Amino acid sequence: MTRLLALIIFLFPLVGCKIKDSVATSPDGRISPTFQGPSELSYCSQVTSYSNAITVTGLAYFIRRNPWGDSVTGGLGSASTSGTHPATAHPIRRAEIRVTNSSGQVVQCGETGANGEINLSLPRGNVSYVISVNSRSNNSSYLRASVLNMPERNQVYSLQATVSASASIDIGTITASADGSVLGGAFNILDQFFEANSYLRSQVANFTSAPKVVAYWEPGYNPNAYFGGSSGLSFYLPGYSRLFILGGQDGDLNNSDTDHFDNSVVLHEYGHFLEDALFASDSPGGSHNGNRIIDPRLAWSEGWGNFFQAAVLYGANSTPYYIDTIGNDDGSLTEQIFHTNLETPPMSGGDCYPTSQNSINGDCPRVLGEGNFREFSVTRMLWDMIDSVNDSRFSSSENLDGKFNELWGTLVNTSNGFKDSKFAFRSVGHFHLAHAFNYSSTDMTGVRGVERHRGNTTDYAEYVTATDSCSDFSMTPAGSSDGVVGDTGTLATSDLLRNNDFYHFVSTGSGTITLEYEDANSSGTIADLDLYIYNESARLGVVSDMRGYSQDEPGANPSQTNVETVTSVPAGKHLINVNVYTGGSLGGTANYRLKFNGVKLCPTTLVQ
């Protein structure tokens, strides 16, 4: 019972950026991030011709605060375009323009140009019009996105100018500021989506624009309030095509964590949207920690988001970073949470670590397969596929570059690709399998080697079928002397690579899954193996996601066969987890076999 209660603990200690699901009620009166509020205002797309017209021209810009560039203290600079840490002005590109008269009637629609140009034809008269440049775009050739205030209202942000219709006029430049109402924050979020789509068009043949996404953002508001949390949080909501971007906390934009000018964060979350909308994800969501081995599905998803933001922001020929800031120059606090180089692990040495250090903590994989469990290792592997710098680590070297088209093709391919419905519990191992099948002429050996990736699913979600045609599996538990820091016997502190095996099994009918094991090396002791069967949502350690579990103690005689049994397993896709309980004595190596209705489960090729 003690072990089962321990399993309910969340596995990852740091704040996450991908929320799997929620219907929580916010204490400030908001309803839920999933709430379907009033319909968004209809998009203004109909351009009207007038026989007696004037022409209104101008430019629409927004101001963006920028990180100082100092990896120690450099937070966001000022809202001014001059000074020590100046902001910069950027055009509002391909955004909706809506023109209304004094009665609020729409008289013209339009779109800003590639450089923020405004060019409108309006009916001449002794009247005035309000020109609204809105924080959304609906152009299938460029961008389909809206930045709105909240699901409960679905209101767009507008940069406005009032003009007289008596004669043609150039209104000059209208600008969304980076302070005050921080209207520039809404347009910066929209602009990052534009940049993402531009990058994809430059890299992927026949790509035009991604499906529509909605970003919810409000100055001074922390989306974590939906869940009753106080720490700053930006996240993507799978299945809803919704991002929530941190606007501050309790109305404070200058001394708290904000993300509307943290382009790494905005693009990372947009990467999760692409993952959800265009390829596939089995990430359980939740918190994650780049310095520990974590659930490979989460490591893959977060590693992809880290990579994608770097690809868009830095291109293949620059050093990639992930930057997240707190506060700004106009407040009393300005600093960086992250200023992480995504090209090189933070520690040096032949194996990234000094030989005297043997710890599961840290950013660098220590043994083959561990890279599949680390989000920054996934990031670096993907980066190595596109960059022009050749990496060398672990007696391996890679020389790939310019392979984003292969990377993307692997992800969106529905036939033996990452999106293939045969896959489940997807991780970077599935990516390697799919890439090798679809792009066999590209040698990924070096790319995998420098990150200690295994190019298949052997270590996580290995596909098995009931064939009775394989040898036994075995497991030798690792303890604290092997780098399992703080292992107290719970899954939450378990080495997911070395003290766990994971299998993907599809049953066509209900039945019983058994784990049989015994002492493998006549040591006189035996590892205590336990069995957990998860559904497809599969948050590790969460009992409600289990289809069943068995935690019996092994018998006193090491040579006897011990059996763990889960009955009434329904038809469907299952994640089978064989876990070594290490709360007491570690025990010796165990041979084990898995059976479904008495027939042994054996590894089978999944991509074929």
Side-chain angles (χ1 to χ4, degrees), residues 2-4 6-7 292 360 475-501 517 526-532 550-554 564 577-590:
T2 300
R3 281 182 286 171
L4 179 57
L7 289 175
R292 291 187 66 86
I360 197 171
M475 185 182 294
T476 302
S480 57
S481 62
D482 299 301
V484 187
V485 175
D487 193 333
T488 59
T490 71
L491 183 57
T493 58
S494 178
D495 186 326
L496 294 181
L497 172 63
R498 293 182 295 173
N499 284 5
N500 293 269
D501 287 337
Y517 67 101
I526 185 172
D528 180 0
L529 303 189
D530 295 318
L531 176 65
Y532 305 98
S550 179
Q551 299 177 319
D552 294 337
E553 299 294 331
E564 306 278 358
N577 175 204
V578 178
N579 169 253
V580 177
Y581 175 62
T582 56
S585 174
L586 285 176
T589 299

Coordinates of all heavy atoms in Angstrom, one line a residue, residues 2-4 6-7 292 360 475-501 517 526-532 550-554 564 577-590:
T2 N 2.0 1.2 0.7 CA 2.8 2.4 0.8 C 3.3 2.8 -0.6 O 3.4 3.9 -1.0 CB 4.1 2.1 1.7 OG1 3.6 1.8 3.0 CG2 5.0 3.3 1.7
R3 N 3.7 1.7 -1.4 CA 4.2 2.0 -2.7 C 3.1 2.6 -3.6 O 3.4 3.5 -4.4 CB 4.8 0.8 -3.4 CG 6.2 0.4 -2.9 CD 6.7 -0.8 -3.6 NE 6.1 -2.0 -3.1 CZ 6.2 -3.2 -3.6 NH1 7.0 -3.3 -4.7 NH2 5.6 -4.2 -3.1
L4 N 1.9 2.1 -3.5 CA 0.9 2.6 -4.4 C 0.6 4.0 -4.1 O 0.4 4.9 -5.0 CB -0.4 1.7 -4.2 CG -1.6 2.2 -5.1 CD1 -1.2 2.2 -6.5 CD2 -2.8 1.3 -4.8
A6 N 2.6 6.2 -3.0 CA 3.7 7.0 -3.5 C 3.6 7.2 -5.0 O 4.0 8.3 -5.5 CB 5.0 6.3 -3.2
L7 N 2.9 6.3 -5.7 CA 2.8 6.5 -7.2 C 1.9 7.7 -7.6 O 2.0 8.1 -8.7 CB 2.2 5.2 -7.8 CG 3.0 4.0 -7.7 CD1 2.3 2.8 -8.2 CD2 4.3 4.2 -8.6
R292 N 16.9 16.2 -15.7 CA 16.7 14.8 -15.2 C 16.1 14.0 -16.4 O 15.6 14.5 -17.4 CB 15.7 14.7 -14.1 CG 16.2 15.3 -12.8 CD 15.2 15.1 -11.6 NE 15.1 13.7 -11.3 CZ 15.9 13.0 -10.5 NH1 16.9 13.6 -9.9 NH2 15.7 11.7 -10.2
I360 N 22.6 11.1 -11.8 CA 21.5 11.2 -12.8 C 21.1 12.6 -13.1 O 20.4 12.9 -14.1 CB 20.3 10.4 -12.2 CG1 19.3 10.1 -13.3 CG2 19.6 11.2 -11.1 CD1 18.2 9.1 -12.9
M475 N 16.3 -7.9 -16.2 CA 16.5 -6.5 -15.6 C 17.5 -6.6 -14.4 O 17.2 -7.5 -13.5 CB 15.2 -5.9 -15.2 CG 15.3 -4.5 -14.8 SD 13.7 -3.7 -14.2 CE 12.8 -3.7 -15.8
T476 N 18.5 -5.7 -14.4 CA 19.4 -5.6 -13.3 C 19.2 -4.3 -12.6 O 19.5 -3.3 -13.3 CB 20.8 -5.8 -13.7 OG1 21.0 -7.1 -14.3 CG2 21.8 -5.7 -12.5
P477 N 18.7 -4.2 -11.4 CA 18.4 -2.8 -10.9 C 19.6 -2.0 -10.6 O 20.7 -2.5 -10.3 CB 17.6 -3.2 -9.6 CG 18.1 -4.6 -9.2 CD 18.3 -5.3 -10.5
A478 N 19.4 -0.7 -10.7 CA 20.5 0.2 -10.4 C 20.2 1.0 -9.1 O 19.0 1.3 -8.9 CB 20.7 1.2 -11.6
G479 N 21.2 1.2 -8.3 CA 20.9 1.9 -7.0 C 21.6 3.3 -7.0 O 22.1 3.8 -8.1
S480 N 21.7 3.9 -5.9 CA 22.3 5.2 -5.8 C 23.8 5.3 -6.2 O 24.2 6.3 -6.7 CB 22.2 5.8 -4.3 OG 22.8 4.9 -3.4
S481 N 24.5 4.2 -6.0 CA 25.9 4.1 -6.4 C 26.0 4.2 -7.9 O 27.1 4.4 -8.5 CB 26.6 2.9 -5.9 OG 26.0 1.7 -6.4
D482 N 24.9 3.9 -8.6 CA 24.9 3.9 -10.1 C 24.3 5.2 -10.6 O 24.0 5.3 -11.8 CB 24.1 2.7 -10.6 CG 24.7 1.4 -10.2 OD1 25.9 1.1 -10.6 OD2 24.0 0.6 -9.5
G483 N 24.1 6.1 -9.8 CA 23.6 7.4 -10.2 C 22.1 7.6 -10.0 O 21.6 8.6 -10.5
V484 N 21.4 6.7 -9.4 CA 20.0 6.9 -9.2 C 19.8 7.7 -7.9 O 19.7 7.2 -6.8 CB 19.2 5.6 -9.1 CG1 17.7 5.8 -9.0 CG2 19.5 4.7 -10.3
V485 N 19.9 9.0 -8.0 CA 19.9 9.9 -6.9 C 18.5 9.9 -6.2 O 17.5 10.1 -6.8 CB 20.3 11.4 -7.3 CG1 20.1 12.3 -6.1 CG2 21.7 11.4 -7.8
G486 N 18.5 9.7 -4.9 CA 17.3 9.8 -4.1 C 16.3 8.7 -4.4 O 15.1 8.8 -4.1
D487 N 16.7 7.5 -4.9 CA 15.8 6.4 -5.2 C 15.3 5.9 -3.9 O 16.0 5.3 -3.1 CB 16.5 5.4 -6.0 CG 15.5 4.4 -6.6 OD1 14.5 4.2 -6.0 OD2 15.8 3.8 -7.7
T488 N 14.0 6.1 -3.6 CA 13.4 5.6 -2.4 C 12.4 4.5 -2.6 O 11.6 4.1 -1.8 CB 12.7 6.7 -1.6 OG1 11.7 7.3 -2.5 CG2 13.7 7.8 -1.2
G489 N 12.4 4.0 -3.9 CA 11.5 2.9 -4.2 C 10.2 3.2 -4.9 O 9.5 2.4 -5.3
T490 N 9.9 4.5 -5.1 CA 8.7 4.9 -5.8 C 9.0 5.1 -7.2 O 10.2 5.4 -7.6 CB 8.1 6.2 -5.2 OG1 9.0 7.3 -5.6 CG2 8.0 6.1 -3.7
L491 N 8.0 5.1 -8.1 CA 8.2 5.3 -9.5 C 8.6 6.8 -9.7 O 9.4 7.1 -10.6 CB 6.9 5.0 -10.3 CG 7.0 5.2 -11.8 CD1 8.0 4.3 -12.4 CD2 5.6 4.9 -12.4
A492 N 8.2 7.7 -8.8 CA 8.6 9.1 -9.0 C 10.1 9.3 -8.8 O 10.6 10.3 -9.3 CB 7.8 9.9 -7.9
T493 N 10.8 8.4 -8.2 CA 12.2 8.6 -8.0 C 13.0 7.5 -8.7 O 14.2 7.4 -8.6 CB 12.6 8.6 -6.5 OG1 12.2 7.4 -5.9 CG2 12.0 9.8 -5.8
S494 N 12.3 6.7 -9.5 CA 12.9 5.6 -10.2 C 13.7 6.0 -11.5 O 13.3 7.0 -12.1 CB 11.9 4.6 -10.6 OG 12.4 3.5 -11.2
D495 N 14.8 5.4 -11.8 CA 15.5 5.6 -13.0 C 14.6 5.0 -14.1 O 14.5 3.7 -14.3 CB 16.9 4.9 -13.0 CG 17.7 5.2 -14.2 OD1 17.2 5.3 -15.3 OD2 18.9 5.3 -14.0
L496 N 14.0 5.8 -14.9 CA 13.0 5.3 -15.9 C 13.7 4.5 -17.0 O 13.1 3.7 -17.7 CB 12.3 6.5 -16.6 CG 11.4 7.3 -15.7 CD1 10.7 8.4 -16.4 CD2 10.3 6.4 -15.0
L497 N 15.0 4.7 -17.2 CA 15.7 3.9 -18.2 C 16.1 2.5 -17.7 O 15.9 1.5 -18.2 CB 16.9 4.7 -18.7 CG 17.9 3.9 -19.6 CD1 17.2 3.5 -20.9 CD2 19.1 4.7 -19.9
R498 N 16.8 2.5 -16.5 CA 17.5 1.3 -16.1 C 16.7 0.5 -15.1 O 16.9 -0.7 -14.9 CB 18.9 1.6 -15.5 CG 19.8 2.2 -16.6 CD 21.2 2.4 -16.0 NE 21.2 3.5 -15.1 CZ 22.2 3.9 -14.3 NH1 23.3 3.2 -14.4 NH2 22.1 4.9 -13.5
N499 N 15.7 1.1 -14.4 CA 14.9 0.4 -13.4 C 13.5 0.2 -13.9 O 12.6 -0.1 -13.1 CB 14.9 1.1 -12.1 CG 16.2 0.9 -11.3 OD1 17.1 0.3 -11.9 ND2 16.3 1.4 -10.1
N500 N 13.3 0.4 -15.2 CA 11.9 0.2 -15.8 C 12.1 -0.3 -17.2 O 13.0 0.1 -17.9 CB 11.2 1.5 -15.8 CG 10.8 2.1 -14.5 OD1 9.7 1.7 -13.9 ND2 11.7 2.8 -13.9
D501 N 11.2 -1.2 -17.6 CA 11.0 -1.5 -19.0 C 9.6 -1.2 -19.4 O 8.6 -1.3 -18.6 CB 11.3 -3.0 -19.2 CG 12.8 -3.4 -19.2 OD1 13.6 -2.4 -19.4 OD2 13.1 -4.5 -18.9
Y517 N 8.8 -14.0 -13.0 CA 10.2 -13.7 -12.9 C 10.8 -14.5 -11.9 O 10.2 -15.0 -10.9 CB 10.4 -12.2 -12.7 CG 10.0 -11.7 -11.3 CD1 10.9 -11.5 -10.3 CD2 8.6 -11.3 -11.1 CE1 10.5 -11.0 -9.1 CE2 8.2 -10.8 -9.9 CZ 9.1 -10.7 -8.8 OH 8.7 -10.2 -7.6
I526 N 16.9 -11.7 -5.4 CA 16.1 -11.4 -6.6 C 15.5 -10.0 -6.6 O 15.1 -9.6 -5.5 CB 15.0 -12.5 -6.8 CG1 14.3 -12.3 -8.2 CG2 14.0 -12.4 -5.7 CD1 13.3 -13.4 -8.5
A527 N 15.6 -9.4 -7.7 CA 14.9 -8.0 -7.8 C 13.4 -8.2 -7.6 O 12.8 -9.2 -8.1 CB 15.2 -7.4 -9.2
D528 N 12.8 -7.2 -7.0 CA 11.4 -7.2 -6.7 C 10.7 -6.5 -7.9 O 10.7 -5.2 -8.0 CB 11.1 -6.5 -5.4 CG 9.6 -6.5 -5.1 OD1 8.8 -7.0 -5.9 OD2 9.2 -5.9 -4.0
L529 N 10.1 -7.2 -8.9 CA 9.5 -6.6 -10.0 C 8.0 -6.4 -9.8 O 7.4 -7.3 -9.2 CB 9.7 -7.5 -11.3 CG 11.2 -7.8 -11.7 CD1 11.2 -8.5 -13.0 CD2 12.0 -6.6 -11.7
D530 N 7.5 -5.3 -10.3 CA 6.1 -5.0 -10.2 C 5.6 -4.7 -11.6 O 6.3 -4.4 -12.5 CB 5.8 -3.8 -9.3 CG 6.2 -4.1 -7.8 OD1 5.9 -5.2 -7.4 OD2 6.8 -3.2 -7.2
L531 N 4.2 -4.8 -11.7 CA 3.6 -4.7 -13.0 C 2.5 -3.6 -13.0 O 1.7 -3.6 -12.1 CB 3.0 -6.1 -13.4 CG 2.2 -6.1 -14.7 CD1 3.1 -5.9 -15.9 CD2 1.4 -7.5 -14.8
Y532 N 2.6 -2.7 -14.0 CA 1.6 -1.7 -14.2 C 1.1 -1.6 -15.6 O 2.0 -1.6 -16.5 CB 2.2 -0.3 -13.8 CG 2.8 -0.3 -12.4 CD1 4.2 -0.5 -12.2 CD2 2.0 -0.2 -11.3 CE1 4.7 -0.5 -10.9 CE2 2.5 -0.2 -10.0 CZ 3.9 -0.3 -9.8 OH 4.4 -0.4 -8.6
S550 N 0.0 -4.7 -10.2 CA 0.3 -5.8 -9.2 C 1.6 -5.5 -8.6 O 2.6 -5.3 -9.3 CB 0.3 -7.1 -9.9 OG 0.5 -8.2 -9.0
Q551 N 1.6 -5.5 -7.2 CA 2.8 -5.2 -6.5 C 3.1 -6.3 -5.4 O 3.6 -6.0 -4.3 CB 2.6 -3.8 -5.8 CG 2.4 -2.7 -6.7 CD 2.1 -1.4 -5.9 OE1 1.4 -1.4 -4.9 NE2 2.7 -0.3 -6.4
D552 N 3.0 -7.5 -5.7 CA 3.2 -8.6 -4.8 C 4.7 -8.7 -4.4 O 5.6 -8.4 -5.2 CB 2.7 -9.9 -5.3 CG 1.2 -10.0 -5.5 OD1 0.5 -9.2 -4.8 OD2 0.7 -10.8 -6.3
E553 N 5.0 -9.1 -3.2 CA 6.3 -9.3 -2.8 C 6.9 -10.6 -3.4 O 6.1 -11.6 -3.5 CB 6.4 -9.4 -1.3 CG 6.0 -8.1 -0.6 CD 6.9 -7.0 -0.8 OE1 8.1 -7.2 -1.1 OE2 6.4 -5.8 -0.8
P554 N 8.2 -10.7 -3.7 CA 8.7 -12.0 -4.2 C 8.8 -13.0 -3.1 O 8.9 -12.7 -1.9 CB 10.1 -11.6 -4.7 CG 10.5 -10.4 -3.9 CD 9.2 -9.6 -3.7
E564 N 3.2 -11.7 -11.1 CA 2.3 -10.5 -10.9 C 1.2 -10.6 -11.9 O 1.5 -10.9 -13.1 CB 3.1 -9.2 -11.1 CG 4.4 -9.1 -10.2 CD 4.1 -8.7 -8.8 OE1 2.9 -8.4 -8.5 OE2 5.0 -8.6 -8.0
N577 N 4.3 -1.5 -18.0 CA 5.5 -1.1 -17.3 C 6.0 -2.1 -16.3 O 5.2 -2.5 -15.4 CB 5.2 0.3 -16.6 CG 6.3 0.8 -15.7 OD1 6.1 1.5 -14.8 ND2 7.6 0.4 -16.0
V578 N 7.2 -2.6 -16.5 CA 7.8 -3.5 -15.5 C 8.8 -2.7 -14.8 O 9.7 -2.1 -15.3 CB 8.5 -4.7 -16.2 CG1 9.2 -5.6 -15.2 CG2 7.6 -5.5 -17.1
N579 N 8.5 -2.5 -13.5 CA 9.3 -1.6 -12.6 C 10.0 -2.4 -11.5 O 9.4 -3.3 -10.9 CB 8.3 -0.6 -12.0 CG 9.0 0.2 -10.9 OD1 8.7 0.0 -9.7 ND2 9.9 1.1 -11.3
V580 N 11.2 -2.1 -11.2 CA 12.0 -2.7 -10.1 C 11.7 -1.8 -8.9 O 12.0 -0.6 -8.9 CB 13.5 -2.7 -10.4 CG1 14.2 -3.3 -9.2 CG2 13.8 -3.6 -11.6
Y581 N 11.2 -2.4 -7.9 CA 11.0 -1.8 -6.6 C 12.3 -1.8 -5.8 O 12.9 -2.8 -5.5 CB 9.9 -2.4 -5.8 CG 9.7 -1.8 -4.4 CD1 9.4 -0.5 -4.2 CD2 10.0 -2.6 -3.2 CE1 9.3 0.1 -3.0 CE2 9.9 -2.0 -2.0 CZ 9.5 -0.7 -1.9 OH 9.4 -0.1 -0.6
T582 N 12.8 -0.6 -5.5 CA 14.2 -0.5 -4.9 C 14.1 0.2 -3.5 O 15.1 0.7 -3.1 CB 15.1 0.3 -5.8 OG1 14.5 1.6 -6.1 CG2 15.4 -0.4 -7.1
G583 N 12.9 0.1 -2.9 CA 12.8 0.7 -1.6 C 13.6 0.0 -0.5 O 14.0 0.6 0.5
G584 N 13.8 -1.3 -0.7 CA 14.6 -2.1 0.3 C 15.9 -2.5 -0.4 O 16.5 -1.8 -1.1
S585 N 16.3 -3.8 -0.2 CA 17.4 -4.3 -0.9 C 17.2 -4.4 -2.4 O 16.1 -4.7 -2.9 CB 17.7 -5.7 -0.4 OG 18.8 -6.3 -1.1
L586 N 18.2 -4.0 -3.2 CA 18.1 -4.0 -4.6 C 17.8 -5.3 -5.2 O 17.0 -5.5 -6.1 CB 19.3 -3.4 -5.3 CG 19.5 -1.9 -5.1 CD1 20.8 -1.5 -5.7 CD2 18.4 -1.1 -5.8
G587 N 18.4 -6.3 -4.7 CA 18.2 -7.7 -5.2 C 19.1 -7.9 -6.5 O 19.6 -7.0 -7.1
G588 N 19.1 -9.1 -6.9 CA 20.0 -9.5 -8.1 C 19.2 -9.4 -9.4 O 18.0 -9.0 -9.4
T589 N 19.9 -9.8 -10.5 CA 19.3 -9.7 -11.8 C 18.1 -10.7 -11.9 O 18.1 -11.8 -11.3 CB 20.3 -10.1 -12.8 OG1 21.4 -9.2 -12.8 CG2 19.7 -10.1 -14.2
A590 N 17.0 -10.2 -12.5 CA 15.8 -11.1 -12.7 C 15.6 -11.4 -14.2 O 15.7 -10.5 -15.0 CB 14.6 -10.4 -12.1

